[in-house]
Amino acid sequence: MKIVDEEGEIVATASDDHTLIGGHHRLAVAASLGKRLFWRDTGEPVKLDNFFKHYGSSFRHTA
């Protein structure tokens, strides 16, 4: 499954169970910029809390 931004550009890739596979950095940057992200297949908004709950600590400690 692909995660896209408001312009339709692919930001990240996730598995069917919404486990982040690729685009960790791009997802973190988009979130820090306040971009709205969507599931490309359904158009539903992506709930970033689900990703940052598991990966957030590594993002916060990355320069």
Side-chain angles (χ1 to χ4, degrees):
M1 299 181 80
K2 303 291 184 190
I3 299 172
V4 297
D5 63 15
E6 296 166 340
E7 291 82 35
E9 291 187 43
I10 296 173
V11 173
T13 304
S15 65
D16 289 340
D17 67 352
H18 295 179
T19 300
L20 196 57
I21 297 171
H24 298 76
H25 179 73
R26 289 187 311 258
L27 186 68
V29 169
S32 70
L33 295 173
K35 288 192 173 191
R36 293 178 45 197
L37 303 172
F38 304 91
W39 294 107
R40 183 172 73 176
D41 296 346
T42 64
E44 292 180 42
V46 172
K47 297 178 183 171
L48 293 175
D49 292 345
N50 293 336
F51 293 113
F52 291 113
K53 179 173 29 173
H54 295 108
Y55 301 106
S57 61
S58 63
F59 284 141
R60 286 188 207 116
H61 294 99
T62 302

Coordinates of all heavy atoms in Angstrom, one line a residue:
M1 N 0.8 -1.2 0.0 CA 0.0 0.0 0.0 C 0.9 1.2 0.0 O 1.9 1.3 0.7 CB -0.9 0.0 1.2 CG -1.8 -1.2 1.3 SD -2.9 -1.1 2.8 CE -4.1 0.0 2.2
K2 N 0.5 2.2 -0.7 CA 1.3 3.4 -0.9 C 0.6 4.6 0.0 O -0.6 4.7 0.0 CB 1.4 3.9 -2.3 CG 1.9 2.9 -3.2 CD 3.4 2.7 -3.0 CE 4.0 1.7 -4.0 NZ 5.3 1.2 -3.7
I3 N 1.4 5.4 0.6 CA 1.0 6.6 1.3 C 1.4 7.8 0.4 O 2.6 7.9 0.0 CB 1.7 6.7 2.7 CG1 1.2 5.5 3.5 CG2 1.3 8.0 3.3 CD1 2.0 5.4 4.8
V4 N 0.4 8.6 0.1 CA 0.7 9.8 -0.8 C 0.4 11.1 0.0 O -0.4 11.1 0.9 CB -0.1 9.7 -2.1 CG1 0.3 8.5 -2.9 CG2 -1.6 9.7 -1.8
D5 N 1.0 12.2 -0.5 CA 0.7 13.5 0.1 C -0.4 14.1 -0.7 O -1.0 13.5 -1.6 CB 2.0 14.4 0.1 CG 2.5 14.7 -1.2 OD1 1.8 14.5 -2.3 OD2 3.7 15.2 -1.3
E6 N -0.7 15.4 -0.3 CA -1.8 16.1 -0.9 C -1.7 16.3 -2.4 O -2.7 16.4 -3.2 CB -2.0 17.5 -0.3 CG -2.4 17.3 1.2 CD -2.2 18.6 2.0 OE1 -1.5 19.5 1.5 OE2 -2.8 18.8 3.0
E7 N -0.4 16.3 -2.9 CA -0.2 16.4 -4.4 C -0.2 15.1 -5.1 O 0.0 15.1 -6.3 CB 1.2 17.1 -4.6 CG 1.2 18.6 -4.2 CD 1.4 18.8 -2.7 OE1 2.2 17.9 -2.1 OE2 0.8 19.7 -2.1
G8 N -0.4 14.0 -4.4 CA -0.4 12.7 -5.0 C 0.9 12.0 -5.1 O 1.1 11.0 -5.7
E9 N 2.0 12.6 -4.6 CA 3.3 12.1 -4.6 C 3.5 11.0 -3.5 O 3.0 11.1 -2.4 CB 4.4 13.1 -4.4 CG 4.5 14.1 -5.5 CD 5.7 15.0 -5.3 OE1 6.8 14.6 -5.0 OE2 5.5 16.2 -5.6
I10 N 4.1 9.9 -3.9 CA 4.3 8.8 -3.0 C 5.3 9.2 -1.9 O 6.4 9.6 -2.3 CB 4.7 7.5 -3.7 CG1 3.6 7.0 -4.7 CG2 5.1 6.4 -2.7 CD1 4.1 5.9 -5.6
V11 N 4.9 9.0 -0.7 CA 5.8 9.4 0.4 C 6.4 8.1 1.1 O 7.5 8.1 1.5 CB 5.0 10.2 1.5 CG1 5.8 10.4 2.7 CG2 4.5 11.5 0.9
A12 N 5.6 7.1 1.2 CA 6.0 5.9 1.9 C 5.2 4.6 1.4 O 4.2 4.8 0.7 CB 5.9 6.0 3.4
T13 N 5.7 3.5 1.8 CA 5.1 2.2 1.4 C 4.8 1.4 2.7 O 5.7 1.4 3.6 CB 6.0 1.4 0.5 OG1 6.3 2.2 -0.7 CG2 5.3 0.1 0.0
A14 N 3.7 0.8 2.8 CA 3.3 0.0 4.0 C 2.7 -1.3 3.5 O 2.2 -1.4 2.4 CB 2.3 0.8 4.8
S15 N 2.8 -2.3 4.4 CA 2.2 -3.6 4.1 C 0.7 -3.5 4.3 O 0.2 -2.5 4.7 CB 2.8 -4.7 5.0 OG 2.4 -4.4 6.4
D16 N 0.0 -4.6 3.9 CA -1.5 -4.6 4.1 C -1.9 -4.4 5.5 O -3.0 -3.9 5.7 CB -2.0 -5.9 3.5 CG -1.9 -6.0 2.0 OD1 -1.8 -4.9 1.4 OD2 -2.0 -7.1 1.5
D17 N -1.1 -4.7 6.5 CA -1.5 -4.5 7.9 C -0.9 -3.2 8.4 O -0.9 -3.0 9.6 CB -1.0 -5.7 8.8 CG 0.5 -5.8 8.9 OD1 1.2 -5.1 8.2 OD2 1.0 -6.6 9.7
H18 N -0.5 -2.3 7.5 CA -0.1 -0.9 7.8 C 1.3 -0.9 8.5 O 1.6 0.1 9.2 CB -1.1 -0.2 8.5 CG -2.4 0.1 7.7 ND1 -3.4 0.7 8.2 CD2 -2.7 -0.3 6.5 CE1 -4.4 0.8 7.3 NE2 -4.0 0.2 6.2
T19 N 2.1 -1.9 8.3 CA 3.5 -1.9 8.8 C 4.3 -1.1 7.8 O 4.3 -1.4 6.6 CB 4.0 -3.3 9.0 OG1 3.2 -4.0 9.9 CG2 5.5 -3.3 9.5
L20 N 5.0 -0.1 8.3 CA 5.8 0.7 7.4 C 7.0 -0.1 6.8 O 7.8 -0.7 7.5 CB 6.4 1.9 8.1 CG 6.9 3.1 7.3 CD1 5.8 3.6 6.4 CD2 7.3 4.2 8.2
I21 N 7.1 -0.1 5.5 CA 8.1 -0.9 4.8 C 9.2 0.0 4.3 O 10.4 -0.3 4.4 CB 7.5 -1.7 3.6 CG1 6.5 -2.7 4.1 CG2 8.6 -2.3 2.8 CD1 5.7 -3.4 2.9
G22 N 8.9 1.1 3.7 CA 9.9 2.1 3.1 C 9.4 3.5 3.2 O 8.2 3.8 3.3
G23 N 10.3 4.4 3.2 CA 10.0 5.8 3.2 C 9.9 6.4 4.6 O 9.2 7.4 4.8
H24 N 10.6 5.8 5.5 CA 10.5 6.2 6.9 C 10.9 7.7 7.1 O 10.2 8.5 7.7 CB 11.5 5.4 7.8 CG 11.1 3.9 7.8 ND1 11.4 3.1 6.8 CD2 10.6 3.2 8.8 CE1 11.0 1.9 7.1 NE2 10.5 1.9 8.3
H25 N 12.0 8.1 6.4 CA 12.5 9.5 6.5 C 11.5 10.4 5.8 O 11.2 11.5 6.4 CB 13.9 9.6 5.9 CG 14.4 11.0 5.9 ND1 14.8 11.6 7.1 CD2 14.5 11.9 4.9 CE1 15.2 12.8 6.8 NE2 15.0 13.1 5.5
R26 N 11.0 10.1 4.7 CA 10.1 10.9 3.9 C 8.8 11.1 4.8 O 8.2 12.2 4.8 CB 9.8 10.4 2.6 CG 10.9 10.5 1.6 CD 10.5 10.1 0.2 NE 9.8 8.8 0.1 CZ 10.4 7.7 -0.2 NH1 11.6 7.7 -0.6 NH2 9.7 6.6 -0.3
L27 N 8.4 10.0 5.4 CA 7.2 10.1 6.2 C 7.4 11.1 7.4 O 6.5 11.9 7.7 CB 6.8 8.7 6.7 CG 5.4 8.6 7.5 CD1 4.3 8.9 6.6 CD2 5.3 7.3 8.1
A28 N 8.5 10.9 8.0 CA 8.9 11.8 9.2 C 8.9 13.3 8.7 O 8.4 14.2 9.4 CB 10.2 11.4 9.8
V29 N 9.5 13.5 7.6 CA 9.6 14.9 7.1 C 8.2 15.5 6.8 O 7.9 16.6 7.2 CB 10.5 15.0 5.8 CG1 10.4 16.3 5.2 CG2 12.0 14.7 6.2
A30 N 7.4 14.7 6.1 CA 6.1 15.1 5.7 C 5.3 15.4 7.0 O 4.6 16.4 7.1 CB 5.4 14.1 4.9
A31 N 5.4 14.6 8.0 CA 4.7 14.8 9.3 C 5.2 16.1 10.0 O 4.4 16.9 10.5 CB 4.9 13.6 10.2
S32 N 6.5 16.3 9.9 CA 7.0 17.5 10.6 C 6.6 18.8 9.9 O 6.5 19.8 10.5 CB 8.6 17.4 10.7 OG 9.1 17.5 9.4
L33 N 6.3 18.7 8.6 CA 5.9 19.8 7.8 C 4.3 20.0 7.9 O 3.8 20.9 7.3 CB 6.3 19.7 6.4 CG 7.8 19.7 6.1 CD1 8.1 19.4 4.6 CD2 8.3 21.1 6.5
G34 N 3.7 19.1 8.6 CA 2.2 19.2 8.8 C 1.4 18.8 7.5 O 0.3 19.2 7.4
K35 N 2.1 18.0 6.6 CA 1.4 17.6 5.4 C 0.3 16.6 5.7 O 0.5 15.7 6.6 CB 2.3 17.0 4.4 CG 3.2 18.0 3.7 CD 3.9 17.4 2.6 CE 4.7 18.5 1.8 NZ 5.1 18.0 0.5
R36 N -0.8 16.6 5.0 CA -1.8 15.6 5.1 C -1.5 14.5 4.2 O -1.1 14.7 3.1 CB -3.2 16.2 4.8 CG -3.6 17.3 5.8 CD -4.9 17.9 5.5 NE -5.9 16.9 5.1 CZ -7.0 17.2 4.4 NH1 -7.3 18.5 4.1 NH2 -7.9 16.3 4.1
L37 N -1.6 13.3 4.8 CA -1.2 12.1 4.0 C -2.4 11.1 3.9 O -3.3 11.1 4.7 CB 0.0 11.3 4.7 CG 1.2 12.2 4.9 CD1 2.2 11.5 5.7 CD2 1.8 12.6 3.5
F38 N -2.4 10.4 2.8 CA -3.6 9.6 2.4 C -3.1 8.2 1.9 O -2.0 8.1 1.4 CB -4.4 10.2 1.3 CG -4.9 11.6 1.7 CD1 -4.1 12.7 1.4 CD2 -6.1 11.8 2.4 CE1 -4.5 14.0 1.7 CE2 -6.5 13.1 2.8 CZ -5.7 14.2 2.4
W39 N -4.0 7.2 2.1 CA -3.8 5.9 1.5 C -4.2 6.0 0.0 O -5.3 6.5 -0.3 CB -4.6 4.8 2.1 CG -4.2 4.6 3.6 CD1 -4.8 4.9 4.7 CD2 -3.0 3.9 4.0 NE1 -4.1 4.5 5.8 CE2 -3.0 3.9 5.4 CE3 -1.9 3.3 3.3 CZ2 -2.0 3.3 6.1 CZ3 -0.9 2.7 4.1 CH2 -0.9 2.8 5.5
R40 N -3.2 5.8 -0.9 CA -3.5 6.0 -2.3 C -4.7 5.1 -2.8 O -5.5 5.6 -3.6 CB -2.2 5.6 -3.1 CG -2.5 5.9 -4.6 CD -1.2 5.8 -5.4 NE -0.8 4.4 -5.5 CZ 0.2 3.9 -6.2 NH1 1.0 4.8 -6.8 NH2 0.5 2.7 -6.3
D41 N -4.8 3.9 -2.3 CA -5.8 3.0 -2.8 C -7.2 3.4 -2.4 O -8.2 3.2 -3.1 CB -5.6 1.6 -2.2 CG -4.3 0.9 -2.8 OD1 -3.7 1.5 -3.7 OD2 -3.9 -0.1 -2.2
T42 N -7.4 4.0 -1.2 CA -8.7 4.3 -0.6 C -9.0 5.8 -0.5 O -10.1 6.2 -0.4 CB -8.9 3.7 0.7 OG1 -8.0 4.3 1.7 CG2 -8.7 2.2 0.7
G43 N -7.9 6.6 -0.5 CA -8.1 8.0 -0.3 C -8.3 8.4 1.2 O -8.5 9.6 1.5
E44 N -8.3 7.4 2.1 CA -8.5 7.7 3.5 C -7.3 8.4 4.1 O -6.2 8.0 3.7 CB -8.8 6.4 4.3 CG -10.2 5.8 3.9 CD -10.4 4.5 4.7 OE1 -10.1 4.5 5.9 OE2 -10.8 3.5 4.1
P45 N -7.5 9.3 5.0 CA -6.3 9.9 5.7 C -5.5 8.8 6.5 O -6.0 7.9 7.0 CB -6.9 10.9 6.7 CG -8.4 11.1 6.2 CD -8.7 9.8 5.5
V46 N -4.2 9.0 6.5 CA -3.3 8.2 7.2 C -3.2 8.7 8.6 O -3.0 9.9 8.9 CB -1.9 8.1 6.6 CG1 -0.9 7.4 7.4 CG2 -2.0 7.5 5.2
K47 N -3.3 7.8 9.6 CA -3.2 8.1 11.0 C -1.8 7.9 11.4 O -1.3 6.8 11.7 CB -4.1 7.3 11.9 CG -5.6 7.5 11.5 CD -6.5 6.6 12.3 CE -8.0 6.9 11.9 NZ -8.9 5.9 12.5
L48 N -1.0 9.0 11.4 CA 0.4 9.0 11.7 C 0.8 8.5 13.1 O 1.8 7.9 13.3 CB 1.1 10.3 11.5 CG 1.1 10.8 10.0 CD1 1.6 12.2 9.9 CD2 1.8 9.9 9.1
D49 N -0.2 8.6 14.0 CA 0.1 8.2 15.4 C 0.4 6.7 15.4 O 1.3 6.2 16.2 CB -1.1 8.4 16.3 CG -1.3 9.9 16.6 OD1 -0.4 10.7 16.3 OD2 -2.4 10.3 17.0
N50 N -0.2 5.9 14.5 CA 0.0 4.5 14.5 C 1.5 4.2 14.1 O 2.1 3.2 14.6 CB -0.9 3.8 13.5 CG -2.3 3.9 13.9 OD1 -2.6 4.0 15.1 ND2 -3.3 3.8 13.0
F51 N 2.1 5.0 13.2 CA 3.5 4.7 12.8 C 4.4 5.2 13.9 O 5.4 4.6 14.2 CB 3.8 5.4 11.5 CG 3.0 4.8 10.4 CD1 2.0 5.5 9.7 CD2 3.3 3.5 9.9 CE1 1.4 4.9 8.6 CE2 2.6 2.9 8.9 CZ 1.7 3.7 8.2
F52 N 4.2 6.4 14.4 CA 5.1 7.0 15.4 C 5.1 6.4 16.7 O 6.0 6.5 17.5 CB 4.9 8.5 15.4 CG 5.3 9.2 14.2 CD1 4.4 9.8 13.4 CD2 6.6 9.2 13.8 CE1 4.7 10.5 12.2 CE2 7.0 9.8 12.6 CZ 6.0 10.4 11.8
K53 N 4.0 5.7 17.0 CA 4.0 4.9 18.3 C 5.1 3.9 18.3 O 5.7 3.7 19.3 CB 2.6 4.2 18.4 CG 2.4 3.4 19.7 CD 1.0 2.9 19.9 CE 0.3 2.7 18.6 NZ -1.0 2.0 18.8
H54 N 5.3 3.3 17.2 CA 6.4 2.2 17.1 C 7.7 2.8 16.7 O 8.7 2.3 17.1 CB 5.9 1.1 16.1 CG 4.7 0.4 16.5 ND1 3.5 0.6 15.9 CD2 4.5 -0.5 17.5 CE1 2.6 -0.2 16.5 NE2 3.2 -0.8 17.5
Y55 N 7.7 3.8 15.8 CA 9.0 4.3 15.2 C 9.4 5.6 15.7 O 10.4 6.1 15.4 CB 8.8 4.3 13.7 CG 8.5 3.0 13.1 CD1 7.3 2.7 12.6 CD2 9.5 2.0 13.0 CE1 7.0 1.5 12.0 CE2 9.2 0.8 12.4 CZ 7.9 0.6 11.9 OH 7.6 -0.7 11.4
G56 N 8.5 6.3 16.5 CA 8.8 7.6 16.9 C 10.1 7.9 17.6 O 10.7 8.9 17.4
S57 N 10.5 7.0 18.5 CA 11.7 7.3 19.3 C 12.9 7.4 18.4 O 13.8 8.2 18.6 CB 11.9 6.3 20.4 OG 12.0 5.0 19.8
S58 N 12.9 6.6 17.3 CA 14.1 6.6 16.4 C 14.1 7.9 15.6 O 15.1 8.4 15.3 CB 14.1 5.4 15.5 OG 13.0 5.4 14.6
F59 N 12.9 8.4 15.2 CA 12.8 9.7 14.5 C 13.2 10.8 15.3 O 13.9 11.7 14.9 CB 11.4 9.9 14.0 CG 10.9 9.1 12.9 CD1 9.6 8.6 12.8 CD2 11.8 8.8 11.8 CE1 9.2 7.9 11.7 CE2 11.4 8.1 10.7 CZ 10.1 7.6 10.7
R60 N 12.8 10.8 16.6 CA 13.2 12.0 17.5 C 14.6 12.1 17.7 O 15.2 13.1 18.0 CB 12.4 11.8 18.8 CG 10.9 12.1 18.6 CD 10.3 12.2 20.0 NE 8.9 11.8 19.8 CZ 8.3 10.7 20.3 NH1 9.0 9.9 21.1 NH2 7.0 10.5 20.1
H61 N 15.4 11.0 17.7 CA 16.8 11.0 18.0 C 17.7 11.0 16.7 O 18.9 10.9 16.8 CB 17.1 9.7 18.8 CG 16.5 9.8 20.2 ND1 15.4 9.1 20.5 CD2 16.8 10.5 21.3 CE1 15.0 9.3 21.7 NE2 15.9 10.2 22.2
T62 N 17.1 11.2 15.6 CA 17.8 11.3 14.3 C 18.1 12.8 14.0 O 17.2 13.6 14.1 CB 17.1 10.7 13.2 OG1 16.8 9.3 13.5 CG2 17.8 10.8 11.9
A63 N 19.3 13.1 13.7 CA 19.7 14.5 13.4 C 19.3 14.8 12.0 O 19.2 14.0 11.2 CB 21.2 14.7 13.6

